[in-house]
């Protein structure tokens, strides 16, 4: 074995480096508060954009920035109905034409509507 091997240490978990003599980037402490009354600070770079929400360290609920603007309301997209999607594909005139064609087929009796198998057992 090599004489330089570090035996009996956990290199993945433990760092042998120190912060002595290193200038850290300028930081600011930002305070958040959740609806359950927990208050905590998070360090951010002075240059960073501060998020209006952060997950609470204690209970996991979304905490809001203290003395800051609330989160922007997201514009909700209205739900598309079947009618909306149909109107994207066809005009009203085309739909009326298709309706007349289908009604004509039904009225002529050309469409054979079979009796449901369950209904035929009851009558026999």
């Amino acid at each position: 074995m090599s004489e330089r091997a570090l035996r009996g240490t956990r290199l993945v978990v433990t760092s042998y480096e120190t912060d002595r003599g290193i200038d850290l980037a300028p930081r600011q402490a930002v305070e958040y508060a959740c609806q359950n009354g927990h208050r905590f600070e998070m360090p951010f770079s002075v240059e960073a954009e501060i998020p209006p929400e952060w997950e609470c360290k204690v209970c996991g609920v979304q905490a809001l920035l203290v003395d800051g603007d609330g989160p922007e309301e997201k514009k909700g997209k209205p739900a598309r109905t079947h009618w909306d999607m149909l109107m994207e594909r066809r005009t009203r005139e085309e739909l009326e034409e298709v309706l007349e064609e289908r009604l004509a087929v039904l009225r002529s009796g050309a469409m054979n509507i079979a009796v449901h198998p369950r209904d035929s057992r009851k009558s026999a």
Side-chain angles (χ1 to χ4, degrees), residues 26-68:
R27 301 179 188 274
Q28 61 180 332
V30 178
E31 188 176 13
Y32 290 92
C34 79
Q35 61 189 11
N36 296 330
H38 303 122
R39 294 177 82 88
F40 59 95
E41 287 187 348
M42 293 298 300
F44 285 97
S45 170
V46 174
E47 301 166 356
E49 183 178 329
I50 308 300
E53 292 180 324
W54 198 266
E55 186 177 309
C56 179
K57 293 169 118 180
V58 179
C59 62
V61 178
Q62 287 296 321
L64 298 175
L65 183 64
V66 175
D67 298 331

Side-chain angles (χ1 to χ4, degrees), residues 50-100:
I50 308 300
E53 292 180 324
W54 198 266
E55 186 177 309
C56 179
K57 293 169 118 180
V58 179
C59 62
V61 178
Q62 287 296 321
L64 298 175
L65 183 64
V66 175
D67 298 331
D69 296 333
E72 295 178 10
E73 292 294 324
K74 294 180 181 177
K75 294 181 180 179
K77 196 173 172 183
R80 287 176 49 199
T81 64
H82 179 74
W83 179 253
D84 295 333
M85 291 184 270
L86 187 62
M87 293 305 291
E88 288 176 3
R89 295 190 308 266
R90 298 183 185 258
T91 64
R92 192 169 196 91
E93 292 78 25
E94 290 174 330
L95 290 172
E96 288 175 1
E97 184 179 325
V98 171
L99 176 62
E100 287 302 320

